Amino acid sequence: MKKILSVVFLVLLSVSLMSISYAAELKVGDKVGDFKLGAALGDKDYGLNSPEFAGKVVYVVYASSSSADDNDHVSEALKADKEVQRLEKEKKYVGLGIGNQKDSPVPNFIIKQIAKRKQQKTGAIILLDPEFTIGNLWGTPHKVATSILIDKQRIVRYVYSGKTPAENIPKLIELIKKYSEEK
C-alpha cells in the first residue's frame, strides 16, 4: 500500500511540476512576458523592453531549424507592403526572429549560420533560444514555427502555429497597420 501511495504521489508531483514549467498555449488577448536572449549576430542580449522593440508593434517568428523557412512567405509579403515598410521606417513596427535551438538536432554553429542568413535576407533581428525560454514563457509548441503579433502594450493580436496560410497574410498586415498607428 505504501508503494502505491508513493507512486501516486510521485506521479501527481511530476504532473504538477510539468504544468509549472510550461505556460499555457498563447492566445490572442494574452499579455506576453519579457525575456533576455542573445543575438545571432554579435554578443548583445535583447528583450521586448530593449530599445529596438520598446514601444513598437513586433511581429515574432519563433522556429526551430526544421521549421525556419515555414513563414518566409509572410516575411516577403510584409517586405512588399509599402505601408508596413513605412511603419518600419518610422520605428512603429519591427520584425523579430527567434531560433529555438533546444529542439534542433542541428549543431549550434549551423543554426547560427542559418540565423545570420535569415537576418541578412529579412533585415529582422534574429535571436537564439538555447533553452526553450520562449516556449516555456509563452507556451509555444516544440518544433513548429509560430507567428505572433504583439502590440505596443505587449498584448498578442495574432498567433498561428505552423505554416501561416496565405489567406491570413492580409489580416496580419491590417493588424500591423492598426496597432502601429494606435497611441
Side-chain angles (χ1 to χ4, degrees):
M1 184 67 168
K2 282 184 180 180
K3 284 185 179 181
I4 292 173
L5 288 175
S6 295
V7 169
V8 169
F9 174 74
L10 289 174
V11 168
L12 290 174
L13 179 63
S14 65
V15 168
S16 68
L17 288 175
M18 285 176 16
S19 66
I20 291 170
S21 65
Y22 294 102
E25 185 176 326
L26 197 63
K27 298 179 294 309
V28 171
D30 288 349
K31 186 165 185 147
V32 295
D34 200 9
F35 56 84
K36 286 285 182 208
L37 293 173
L41 297 175
D43 57 359
K44 183 177 176 182
D45 285 346
Y46 293 88
L48 290 176
N49 290 325
S50 298
E52 295 82 1
F53 307 111
K56 299 174 186 162
V57 170
V58 183
Y59 172 63
V60 180
V61 175
Y62 185 70
S64 65
S65 61
S66 62
S67 62
D69 297 331
D70 285 1
N71 286 304
D72 283 356
H73 64 294
V74 178
S75 297
E76 290 168 12
L78 296 175
K79 283 281 182 210
D81 189 282
K82 288 181 176 32
E83 193 68 16
V84 170
Q85 290 308 300
R86 178 188 64 79
L87 294 167
E88 190 170 24
K89 285 179 186 166
E90 292 176 359
K91 300 192 184 298
K92 294 180 179 182
Y93 156 79
V94 65
L96 170 63
I98 304 176
N100 171 8
Q101 291 175 284
K102 183 88 171 176
D103 286 334
S104 180
V106 177
N108 284 344
F109 76 93
I110 293 175
I111 292 173
K112 285 185 179 185
Q113 292 302 316
I114 293 168
K116 287 177 185 179
R117 179 179 49 86
K118 286 275 189 199
Q119 186 163 334
Q120 291 166 344
K121 181 179 177 182
T122 65
I125 293 172
I126 308 290
L127 307 179
L128 298 176
D129 185 358
E131 298 299 324
F132 199 62
T133 300
I134 298 300
N136 290 332
L137 184 64
W138 294 354
T140 57
H142 290 268
K143 299 182 183 183
V144 175
T146 301
S147 298
I148 307 157
L149 183 67
I150 305 167
D151 73 13
K152 296 173 186 178
Q153 287 73 42
R154 302 305 173 229
I155 305 295
V156 175
R157 298 303 176 178
Y158 175 88
V159 63
Y160 191 89
S161 291
K163 185 173 181 175
T164 301
E167 59 268 16
N168 287 17
I169 296 173
K171 174 187 175 185
L172 178 61
I173 289 172
E174 287 307 311
L175 290 170
I176 289 170
K177 292 174 186 177
K178 174 182 176 181
Y179 290 107
S180 293
E181 295 297 351
E182 283 188 351
K183 300 246 179 200

